[in-house]
Amino acid sequence: AYGSAPRLGTMSTRKRRRDDDEESEDSSDSESDSSVEKVKKKKKKKEKSKKKKKSKDKKKDKKKKKKRKKDKKKDKEELKESMMGDRPQERVGVPRLVEQDGIGVCEKKILKLGTGRRPVKGQEVQLHCKGWLMKSKKVFWNTREKKGDGHKIKPYKFRVGVGKVIKGWDAGVLSMRLGEKAIIVCTGSYGYGLKGNIKWGIPPNADLEFEMELLHIDAEIKLPDKYDLMKEKMKNKHHFLERDGTSAMLSFRAAPF
């Protein structure tokens, strides 16, 4: 009789246990849901960061491409400038100042661009040249002109920058590139100065123009020492002038070079 009777305490505890289990299941479900959400959020964050990185990388790539294009353009411009000359002034038909002092001026106007190197002091150069007086346009010298039946047309040779020729020639030729054709204007001390050149019919202080084409630059550099200069000076008084800067006017002995 006692065994068949229901136990109230045990039933209530069972119920409680069931409720507790259900609650724990609910809580575990909610926890699992929250953890899933957290994982999803993390994934989303990662995806966003990846997208941001990709967009940044794309922007960087675009910037790099733009930079490359700019650099290529610069290189092309520099190449063009080097073909035309070191400065934008050195263009065909644009006259520019090469050198000046208190007595004269040397100017250059390019007719044909040179693509080679420039000569340096002491190198032997070969060029064709035609010279005339600026005022009267009278031609006094032309290397391309035949002087007789047996005469061969040859370019003129000289060592540049060492005082072997007039001052305007040294300054003008040193500013030219190999293959360049230009008109060199020489006035005052850059031409034949106070004495002129009677042999060629050049009056004193005449303004001169020379059409020059630089054909060859020798590799050897040979600079004269002071003794060589003195010998040349004694041999060729006609071709030398003391170069004392602004006081050169007072120390003229012959045509200025």
Side-chain angles (χ1 to χ4, degrees), residues 4-20:
S4 62
R7 291 180 183 179
L8 292 167
T10 53
M11 284 290 286
S12 61
T13 51
R14 278 177 193 170
K15 257 191 178 185
R16 278 177 196 165
R17 278 175 189 170
R18 276 177 198 165
D19 293 338
D20 289 339

Side-chain angles (χ1 to χ4, degrees), residues 8 19 24 46 49 56 61 88 102 104-107 130 133 136 145 148 167 172 190 197 219 226 230 236-237 240 244:
L8 292 167
D19 293 338
S24 63
K46 278 183 182 178
S49 64
K56 278 181 183 179
D61 290 335
V105 164
C106 176
E107 284 180 352
K130 182 182 173 183
L133 299 167
S136 63
E145 195 179 87
K167 198 175 170 183
Y190 286 88
N197 192 324
K226 60 181 180 180
M230 282 301 290
N236 270 329
K237 278 188 181 177
F240 273 86
D244 297 328

Side-chain angles (χ1 to χ4, degrees), residues 11-42:
M11 284 290 286
S12 61
T13 51
R14 278 177 193 170
K15 257 191 178 185
R16 278 177 196 165
R17 278 175 189 170
R18 276 177 198 165
D19 293 338
D20 289 339
D21 290 338
E22 282 174 8
E23 279 176 13
S24 63
E25 279 175 14
D26 291 337
S27 65
S28 63
D29 289 339
S30 63
E31 278 174 11
S32 63
D33 290 340
S34 64
S35 63
V36 169
E37 280 176 10
K38 279 179 183 177
V39 170
K40 281 181 180 178
K41 279 180 182 178
K42 278 182 182 178

Side-chain angles (χ1 to χ4, degrees), residues 54-67:
K54 277 182 182 179
S55 64
K56 278 181 183 179
D57 291 336
K58 278 181 181 178
K59 281 178 183 178
K60 279 180 183 177
D61 290 335
K62 279 182 181 178
K63 280 181 182 178
K64 279 179 184 177
K65 280 179 183 178
K66 279 183 182 178
K67 217 180 181 183

Side-chain angles (χ1 to χ4, degrees), residues 155-196:
Y156 183 69
K157 291 180 187 180
F158 73 97
R159 206 164 287 280
V160 70
V162 294
K164 294 269 184 182
V165 290
I166 58 171
K167 198 175 170 183
W169 270 47
D170 276 339
V173 173
L174 284 168
S175 75
M176 291 174 77
R177 287 184 182 275
L178 189 64
E180 187 178 312
K181 194 175 182 181
I183 287 173
I184 307 292
V185 177
C186 303
T187 69
S189 62
Y190 286 88
Y192 288 91
L194 293 170
K195 290 251 175 149

Side-chain angles (χ1 to χ4, degrees), residues 81-82 84-92 94 96 110:
E81 273 182 23
S82 69
M84 284 161 39
D86 287 342
R87 301 172 192 172
Q89 299 155 302
E90 292 189 358
R91 290 182 181 169
V92 173
V94 180
R96 78 170 186 91
I110 296 169

Side-chain angles (χ1 to χ4, degrees), residues 72-204:
K72 278 182 182 178
K73 275 186 181 179
K74 271 187 182 180
D75 291 338
K76 280 181 182 177
E77 282 169 12
E78 279 172 15
L79 236 175
K80 276 183 185 177
E81 273 182 23
S82 69
M83 293 288 279
M84 284 161 39
D86 287 342
R87 301 172 192 172
Q89 299 155 302
E90 292 189 358
R91 290 182 181 169
V92 173
V94 180
R96 78 170 186 91
L97 180 70
V98 176
E99 206 175 281
Q100 66 178 348
D101 58 18
I103 309 156
V105 164
C106 176
E107 284 180 352
K108 182 177 82 166
K109 186 170 81 175
I110 296 169
L111 302 175
K112 188 185 89 176
L113 293 166
T115 55
R117 68 191 190 280
R118 284 196 179 97
V120 295
K121 284 181 181 181
Q123 285 183 321
E124 192 178 77
V125 295
Q126 290 182 31
L127 51 83
H128 271 304
C129 179
K130 182 182 173 183
W132 62 88
L133 299 167
M134 199 187 284
K135 253 189 182 180
S136 63
K137 304 293 176 188
K138 184 193 170 186
V139 176
F140 54 82
W141 189 42
N142 190 354
T143 56
R144 285 194 172 97
E145 195 179 87
K146 273 195 173 184
K147 290 174 184 176
D149 295 331
H151 180 258
K152 287 181 181 179
I153 293 167
K154 285 181 182 179
Y156 183 69
K157 291 180 187 180
F158 73 97
R159 206 164 287 280
V160 70
V162 294
K164 294 269 184 182
V165 290
I166 58 171
K167 198 175 170 183
W169 270 47
D170 276 339
V173 173
L174 284 168
S175 75
M176 291 174 77
R177 287 184 182 275
L178 189 64
E180 187 178 312
K181 194 175 182 181
I183 287 173
I184 307 292
V185 177
C186 303
T187 69
S189 62
Y190 286 88
Y192 288 91
L194 293 170
K195 290 251 175 149
N197 192 324
I198 299 160
K199 191 181 174 182
W200 285 357
I202 297 166

